[in-house]
Amino acid sequence: MITLSRRLVTGALAGLALSGARPALAGAAALAEAPSSRRIRLGAFTITTLLDADETIDGPWPIVGEDRPREEVQALMRENRLPSDRFTPGFTPTLIETGTQRILFDTGNGEVGFIPRPAGGRLGQALRRAGIAPETIDLVVITHCHTDHIGGLLDGGIPQFPNAAYVVGEAEYRFWTAEERLSAPADSNTYRSAAVVRSHLVPLRERIRFVGPGDTVAPGIDVVAAFGHTPGHLAFHCESEGQRMLVWGDCAHHEVASLSHPEWHALFDLDKDQGIATRRAIYAMAVTERLLVAGYHTAFPSLGHVEARGTGFRWIPVTESGTP
């Protein structure tokens, strides 16, 4: 059941538009050898995070801190002993095996996302390496419709999860399928996302169930409002045997910059103020309710907890925080 704190959540971040991403430094063979999944237990659920892309890119400014001087964001990175102008974001779908269903949250870049192959679009490979055949996925849940989240739905026009049903936010689908989205500049994130919605999501329309905040996706998995970055961005609260996790989609694009300064603008938020409100509310909820978090763009394996720190927050990876 959704608590009051979840009902008050009101915003979200946009997908990470990385049109300037550079080629991967490692070759395809080296990439194939890298760890591509992390599996943990959450009560009776089995949680597997899956690495879809492994690319070091410019940033985090202006992806995070668009409204701040570059030097301010770089100083924060140095204070945390991180490179000031390069980082490796996660692109990390999450699989939940409930015992009766295999439920996949987001589908990665595919052939059309922000990180091109071979560095991106590797979800199918990661699933198979984890011993999971894509045709055994029962349900695909989409947090929002940017190309690095829906690009893996189809490959060469063929559904990658042929036996799955799909869950999409009703407001999100309505926004991206509106004709005016295609009037945006052809090189814009808005146009690219709308075009991929038409090519990769609309063909699956007959198998889509539309949801909104407060709805139940499956037993133990409920929808949480996370609007702002996109109009219908959603998070998902998951609970089994008293253990809880939040799949928060794009509520952070960098585990230090986004959490330390939730008030900083995110470059690809469609509604900057709403995005700020969402980050503050979602992070506070994660702290207060002591939730494990699956953060799509935090560094792989993209699992952690959140703690309050001063006027901001801190991400604690599972490698530091111990068991979920």
Side-chain angles (χ1 to χ4, degrees):
M1 182 169 181
I2 304 299
T3 65
L4 179 62
S5 60
R6 287 185 211 105
R7 292 195 186 101
L8 294 176
V9 174
T10 56
L13 288 178
L16 186 57
L18 302 173
S19 58
R22 299 178 180 175
L25 298 179
L31 287 171
E33 295 171 1
S36 60
S37 65
R38 172 71 182 271
R39 183 169 283 146
I40 63 171
R41 296 287 295 182
L42 186 85
F45 291 175
T46 299
I47 311 297
T48 306
T49 58
L50 299 144
L51 182 62
D52 179 74
D54 188 12
E55 181 85 347
T56 298
I57 64 171
D58 293 336
W61 186 91
I63 296 166
V64 180
E66 174 198 12
D67 59 327
R68 310 304 304 166
R70 180 199 298 258
E71 295 76 17
E72 184 176 351
V73 180
Q74 291 177 329
L76 176 65
M77 296 299 98
R78 288 192 293 270
E79 289 168 8
N80 286 272
R81 301 184 180 182
L82 295 171
S84 63
D85 58 0
R86 300 284 283 166
F87 77 115
T88 306
F91 289 83
T92 312
T94 296
L95 177 72
I96 298 181
E97 296 176 87
T98 67
T100 59
Q101 287 184 295
R102 281 179 165 166
I103 303 174
L104 178 68
F105 293 82
D106 292 328
T107 67
N109 291 272
E111 59 190 348
V112 294
F114 299 128
I115 304 296
R117 289 171 173 160
R122 295 157 48 196
L123 175 59
Q125 173 187 339
L127 280 166
R128 292 183 182 93
R129 290 182 66 191
I132 299 163
E135 56 268 24
T136 67
I137 301 299
D138 298 298
L139 186 65
V140 174
V141 180
I142 301 300
T143 61
H144 67 295
C145 291
H146 280 127
T147 65
D148 56 327
H149 295 259
I150 67 170
L153 285 168
L154 305 181
D155 201 342
I158 299 172
Q160 292 304 285
F161 310 100
N163 298 312
Y166 301 86
V167 166
V168 180
E170 183 174 10
E172 185 78 355
Y173 188 89
R174 186 169 59 247
F175 176 82
W176 289 111
T177 54
E179 287 300 320
E180 57 262 36
R181 301 289 90 77
L182 291 178
S183 65
D187 61 349
S188 69
N189 189 40
T190 295
Y191 179 87
R192 291 181 63 206
S193 295
V196 173
V197 165
R198 280 166 170 74
S199 63
H200 283 62
L201 185 59
V202 171
L204 303 169
R205 173 65 180 83
E206 292 185 359
R207 304 194 71 177
I208 294 175
R209 173 163 61 99
F210 295 108
V211 298
D215 288 343
T216 295
V217 169
I221 302 176
D222 297 321
V223 182
V224 178
F227 310 143
H229 161 57
T230 63
H233 183 286
L234 299 173
F236 297 87
H237 177 267
C238 311
E239 182 169 357
S240 175
E241 298 180 347
Q243 295 187 27
R244 301 191 295 156
M245 180 179 78
L246 186 66
V247 178
W248 76 15
D250 280 14
C251 287
H253 287 87
H254 191 279
E255 57 267 25
V256 171
S258 296
L259 279 86
S260 296
H261 290 281
E263 78 282 6
W264 285 358
H265 285 184
L267 178 62
F268 298 104
D269 278 4
L270 291 180
D271 185 327
K272 307 294 186 185
D273 291 339
Q274 191 72 39
I276 291 168
T278 286
R279 287 189 289 279
R280 286 175 167 158
I282 287 282
Y283 299 165
M285 185 177 80
V287 172
T288 302
E289 302 189 20
R290 302 178 63 84
L291 299 174
L292 176 68
V293 173
Y296 191 85
H297 287 303
T298 58
F300 186 76
S302 309
L303 291 166
H305 293 85
V306 179
E307 70 173 17
R309 172 171 285 191
T311 58
F313 300 86
R314 178 186 173 221
W315 174 261
I316 307 173
V318 291
T319 52
E320 296 180 20
S321 59
T323 59

